[in-house]
Amino acid sequence: MNRTGRILLVTALVAVVAMAFRVSWNALRDIANAIGADHTAATLYPFVVDGLMALALVATLVLAGRDRTFALRVLGTYTLASLVLNYVHGLVPELHGRTVDWGRLADWDPANWALVLLATSLPVGSIYFGSDLVAKVLHHRPAPISTPVTNAEESTETVSNRSTADLTESTPQPVPAAPVLMPDPVAVEFVKSTLPLKPVPTALAPTAAPAIERRSVAAAESSRPRRATGRVPEVARSSRPRRTPDQLLAEARTVTADWPDAKLTAEGIRLAVHTSPKNARTLRETLRAERDGATTAV
């Protein structure tokens, strides 16, 4: 419905409620005069009863859960009370001309006592229930609206691969780095050399520095056998044998034979066949193509 239609609907509703309140106002005013209210109190009495009904209706539209149920109960109770008082006003013609005895709404005493109790308790109830409803409306916090996921089927895919039984290639073993041994340090004497005070006529023959022994990396390796790394333990490996794409497709056809087209999703195939999301999407496209081809052939 557009904005103009909503405005016309609300305006018509307000007009109908206002006319209904005017009809009920006359009956409730005469009831208030019969139970001893003065002119001002009798004029305000219809606002106490029917006004709380309007407040409870607004609270019903705003609140949710248990608070909304409470507002509906208040609305139903005061609607029923207003209906009873209007009914009594129609049954007792003396109320129209104010010739009825003060505090007399019915000839039978128990019925008269119940009606007087109802008419006198409605203002007190309006104070209590009206204050409670206003407090609930002021403290109400609407629930946040969650944003829908654009592609719920593809959002289930994670970075980690959940199923390792259908991997076509195993994880390559890491190449261990060979330890490199540093050469042994050469002892160097930091003693002050004693040079002669006078130059000698003959030059001293240079002494050759000791050669640094270079050890080969292969010879430096320890003879102790090393523990193999990069292998998955047998306990951690899946007990399911590795399946080929044809086996996966045959199993998917068997599982999804009675599935409707709406249920044929990658996530459903992944859970039913226990495969990876990538394989599940491939199986979904294949099965959909087969179904479309079968439909076209028929």
Side-chain angles (χ1 to χ4, degrees):
M1 183 181 294
N2 54 12
R3 184 177 181 182
T4 305
R6 292 180 180 179
I7 294 176
L8 293 176
L9 180 61
V10 173
T11 304
L13 178 61
V14 171
V16 171
V17 171
M19 290 184 290
F21 175 78
R22 176 62 185 87
V23 175
S24 179
W25 179 81
N26 188 28
L28 295 179
R29 183 195 59 182
D30 295 341
I31 293 291
N33 287 323
I35 61 175
D38 57 5
H39 179 70
T40 303
T43 304
L44 298 177
Y45 186 82
F47 293 96
V48 173
V49 180
D50 294 341
L52 183 64
M53 292 168 54
L55 176 61
L57 178 59
V58 174
T60 303
L61 300 177
V62 175
L63 300 176
R66 299 178 60 183
D67 295 338
R68 183 179 182 182
T69 303
F70 174 76
L72 285 173
R73 291 177 179 176
V74 174
L75 176 61
T77 301
Y78 269 74
T79 302
L80 182 61
S82 179
L83 175 61
V84 170
L85 295 181
N86 279 271
Y87 179 69
V88 172
H89 182 265
L91 289 180
V92 183
E94 291 80 1
L95 290 173
H96 307 170
R98 300 182 182 179
T99 58
V100 70
D101 295 337
W102 185 23
R104 196 69 184 178
L105 297 178
D107 296 334
W108 187 40
D109 290 339
N112 180 65
W113 297 336
L115 291 175
V116 172
L117 177 62
L118 175 64
T120 55
S121 61
L122 289 179
V124 180
S126 297
I127 297 174
Y128 174 76
F129 294 118
S131 302
D132 194 10
L133 289 176
V134 170
K136 290 180 183 299
V137 170
L138 294 179
H139 291 82
H140 174 67
R141 294 182 180 180
I145 302 176
S146 59
T147 56
V149 181
T150 56
N151 194 351
E153 180 181 345
E154 299 296 337
S155 64
T156 57
E157 182 180 359
T158 56
V159 179
S160 61
N161 196 348
R162 297 183 181 180
S163 176
T164 58
D166 301 320
L167 292 177
T168 58
E169 297 181 359
S170 60
T171 305
Q173 298 181 0
V175 180
V180 179
L181 298 180
M182 298 299 295
D184 296 336
V186 179
V188 179
E189 296 181 358
F190 295 93
V191 181
K192 185 176 181 182
S193 59
T194 56
L195 297 176
L197 297 178
K198 294 182 180 180
V200 292
T202 59
L204 297 177
T207 58
I212 299 176
E213 182 181 359
R214 297 181 179 272
R215 299 181 180 180
S216 61
V217 177
E221 293 183 354
S222 176
S223 60
R224 184 179 59 184
R226 294 180 298 169
R227 182 174 58 87
T229 58
R231 297 176 60 87
V232 180
E234 296 295 336
V235 180
R237 294 185 179 182
S238 176
S239 59
R240 180 188 292 271
R242 185 177 301 172
R243 295 168 292 181
T244 62
D246 295 336
Q247 293 176 348
L248 282 175
L249 181 58
E251 185 176 351
R253 287 172 180 167
T254 304
V255 174
T256 62
D258 55 346
W259 287 12
D261 294 341
K263 189 180 178 182
L264 192 63
T265 60
E267 181 64 14
I269 297 174
R270 186 187 68 80
L271 295 177
V273 185
H274 302 287
T275 184
S276 63
K278 181 179 179 181
N279 293 337
R281 290 193 297 270
T282 304
L283 293 173
R284 178 197 61 188
E285 298 299 332
T286 304
L287 293 175
R288 285 183 177 177
E290 291 180 355
R291 292 192 177 187
D292 294 341
T295 304
T296 305
V298 173

